[in-house]
């Protein structure tokens, strides 16, 4: 059995990758444990040395890595190149701050000496998605490794070439053999890896369904999980918002990565006084968005990553229209090779519709009209998800209060699109998962606090 990488722009096969046997996987786990035992004894400055080298590789070869991402999952090339640069930024961040984040914490007690320290868990299995094929891996693996763990990478079958190259460049950066290994395995074998007694934690970025399955299996074995799951992020546009700025931001938020981001804005909750203006200008902006060859720097969006994803998105749009939503632009995939879906705007979206209840993973904007700020906040929170949210208003203090106190989401931005940043914790609440990546919290997730007391 093999994984086949397919170019979503054309539907053509790129390459195939044979899956590993159970015996191979067991040997890899044993080697990872050996590597972890040695690595965890290294001083933190020794561990951070490799981060500087890894960051340099990611910057120097960003065009090469960008092209690979674009070929395997269709990301516009300029965004692919930027993704490699962002990975390098994460390396720089932890290289500079890891020693401070992992430093022992003194706690004066009745002892002569008392403090707690942060110890690595062991082997961490990363189950990663295709939509940000380098960033998702680097943002979990870099802090996990720097904390003293070993990493097993189970990447998406859609991007096997990216997985292979990532393992190679960690090795080129000087990480010891066995410390980060790419596993080319199916779901059944992945479950067996979760069960393995030497695997102590799991980091998953994926669907709610996948999160429930992994959390259940890991919980039965008393293993820690970090889960970054789906999102149906609201953008609240209040009556005092600068509509031109809000439209430009919302258009970008809905089309970045061709709309395939858990944290992308998906539901635009607009108060009635500005609804008509916002709607008209968003339709114009979305219709002007260039859909084309993702290797062409002039293209704003490329194809969706897989045919089934395109078909699911179109079905959601059709069901929403059947249930009363109005289609203002887009909504019909072109009859040509590749898995394209045009920039689309739906309005009059309400409860019970797919565009209201479900995550739409593609360039489809849903406008949810409301009458007041209070109703906007209620509708924004009327979702099982809680990953990101945005508020648009010219009163920044008002926006901050709404974001900080009233909206249920792990990441709330005012007058800007939600995005991850190495300096800030990233993660969700409700069905969007638990645990945090990035920031000091991200490096501490795969450690355990050990209390030391000396009389």
């Amino acid at each position: 059995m093999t994984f086949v990488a397919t170019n979503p722009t054309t539907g053509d096969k790129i390459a195939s990758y044979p899956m590993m046997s159970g015996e191979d996987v067991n040997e890899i786990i044993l080697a990872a444990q050996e590597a972890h035992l040695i690595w965890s004894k290294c001083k933190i400055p020794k561990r951070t040395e490799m981060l500087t080298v890894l960051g340099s590789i990611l910057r120097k070869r960003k065009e090469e890595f960008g092209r690979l991402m674009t070929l395997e999952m269709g990301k516009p090339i300029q965004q692919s190149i930027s993704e490699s640069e962002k990975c390098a930024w994460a390396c720089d961040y932890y290289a500079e701050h890891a020693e401070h984040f992992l430093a022992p914490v003194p706690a004066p007690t009745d002892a002569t000496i008392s403090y707690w320290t942060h110890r690595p868990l062991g082997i961490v299995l990363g189950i990663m998605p295709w939509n940000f094929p380098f960033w998702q891996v680097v943002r979990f693996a870099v802090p996990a490794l720097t904390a003293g763990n070993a990493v097993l990478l189970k990447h998406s079958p859609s991007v096997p070439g990216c997985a292979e190259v990532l393992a190679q460049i960690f090795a080129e950066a000087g990480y010891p053999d066995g410390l980060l290994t790419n596993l080319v395995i199916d779901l059944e074998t992945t479950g067996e890896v979760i069960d393995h007694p030497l695997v102590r934690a799991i980091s998953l970025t994926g669907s709610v369904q996948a999160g429930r399955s992994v959390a259940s299996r890991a919980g039965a074995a008393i293993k820690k999980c970090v889960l970054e799951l789906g999102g149906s992020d609201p953008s609240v546009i209040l009556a005092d918002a600068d509509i031109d700025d809000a439209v430009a931001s919302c258009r970008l938020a809905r089309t970045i990565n061709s709309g395939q981001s858990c944290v992308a804005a998906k539901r635009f909750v607009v108060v009635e006084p500005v609804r008509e203006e916002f709607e008209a200008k968003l339709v114009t902006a979305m219709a002007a968005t260039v859909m084309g060859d993702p290797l062409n720097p002039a293209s704003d969006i490329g194809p969706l990553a897989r045919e089934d994803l395109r078909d699911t998105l179109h079905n959601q749009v059709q069901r929403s229209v059947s249930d009363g939503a109005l289609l203002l632009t887009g909504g019909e995939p072109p009859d040509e090779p590749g898995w394209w879906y045009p920039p689309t705007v739906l309005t009059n979206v309400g409860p019970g519709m797919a565009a209201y209840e479900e995550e739409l993973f593609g360039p489809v904007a849903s406008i949810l009209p409301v009458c007041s700020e209070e109703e906007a906040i209620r509708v924004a929170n009327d979702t099982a998800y809680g990953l990101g949210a945005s508020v648009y208003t010219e009163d920044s203090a008002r926006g901050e209060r709404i974001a900080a106190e009233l909206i249920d989401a792990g990441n709330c931005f005012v007058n800007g699109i939600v995005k991850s940043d190495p300096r800030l914790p990233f993660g969700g609440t409700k069905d969007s998962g638990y645990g945090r990546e990035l920031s000091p919290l991200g490096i501490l997730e795969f450690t355990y606090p050990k209390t030391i007391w000396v009389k």
Side-chain angles (χ1 to χ4, degrees), residues 240-305:
D240 67 342
D242 183 311
I243 298 302
D244 288 334
D245 286 350
V247 165
S249 181
C250 290
R251 198 283 305 179
L252 177 62
R254 182 63 290 214
T255 59
I256 196 165
N257 209 42
S258 304
Q260 300 169 114
S261 170
C262 295
V263 78
K266 300 180 177 75
R267 297 179 300 130
F268 299 98
V269 185
V270 189
V271 296
E272 277 295 348
V274 294
R275 179 264 185 94
E276 186 175 335
E277 181 185 1
F278 178 86
E279 192 171 88
K281 290 181 175 179
L282 182 64
V283 168
T284 299
M286 290 288 280
T289 300
V290 178
M291 181 175 70
D293 181 356
L295 288 173
N296 183 343
S299 297
D300 296 315
I301 66 172
L304 300 193

Side-chain angles (χ1 to χ4, degrees), residues 194-277:
I194 293 172
D195 293 341
H196 197 289
L198 292 178
V199 174
R200 294 309 315 151
I202 299 93
S203 178
L204 167 76
T205 299
S207 68
V208 173
Q209 180 182 2
R212 289 194 175 107
S213 175
V214 168
S216 175
R217 194 150 185 168
I222 318 179
K223 297 182 182 183
K224 184 172 186 179
C225 284
V226 170
L227 304 176
E228 196 259 278
L229 309 177
S232 189
D233 290 10
S235 288
V236 175
I237 294 88
L238 298 177
D240 67 342
D242 183 311
I243 298 302
D244 288 334
D245 286 350
V247 165
S249 181
C250 290
R251 198 283 305 179
L252 177 62
R254 182 63 290 214
T255 59
I256 196 165
N257 209 42
S258 304
Q260 300 169 114
S261 170
C262 295
V263 78
K266 300 180 177 75
R267 297 179 300 130
F268 299 98
V269 185
V270 189
V271 296
E272 277 295 348
V274 294
R275 179 264 185 94
E276 186 175 335
E277 181 185 1

Side-chain angles (χ1 to χ4, degrees), residues 375-432:
E375 186 184 3
I377 293 166
R378 181 187 63 76
V379 169
N381 288 332
D382 186 23
T383 173
Y385 297 103
L387 190 55
S390 297
V391 180
Y392 292 90
T393 172
E394 290 202 322
D395 184 340
S396 58
R398 177 192 192 191
E400 181 183 359
R401 178 183 63 84
I402 293 170
E405 300 175 14
L406 302 179
I407 292 184
D408 300 330
N411 309 274
C412 292
F413 284 46
V414 178
N415 296 327
I417 70 171
V418 179
K419 55 190 176 183
S420 57
D421 182 318
R423 299 164 294 188
L424 296 170
F426 186 86
T429 187
K430 301 194 287 188
D431 281 2
S432 290

Side-chain angles (χ1 to χ4, degrees), residues 99-141:
E99 189 169 14
H100 170 67
F101 295 157
L102 296 170
V105 180
T109 68
D110 57 338
T112 306
I113 299 171
S114 52
Y115 60 95
W116 71 84
T117 187
H118 309 285
R119 299 299 302 158
L121 294 176
I123 300 175
V124 182
L125 171 64
I127 304 172
M128 297 289 107
W130 48 264
N131 58 335
F132 293 94
F134 269 55
W135 172 242
Q136 301 278 12
V137 174
V138 167
R139 81 178 189 190
F140 116 82

Side-chain angles (χ1 to χ4, degrees), residues 59-73:
R59 286 193 177 92
K60 189 178 297 183
R61 296 168 59 187
K62 61 186 179 182
E63 286 85 5
E64 172 194 344
F65 300 150
R67 181 177 176 81
L68 175 61
M69 287 184 248
T70 295
L71 288 174
E72 286 201 323
M73 58 73 59

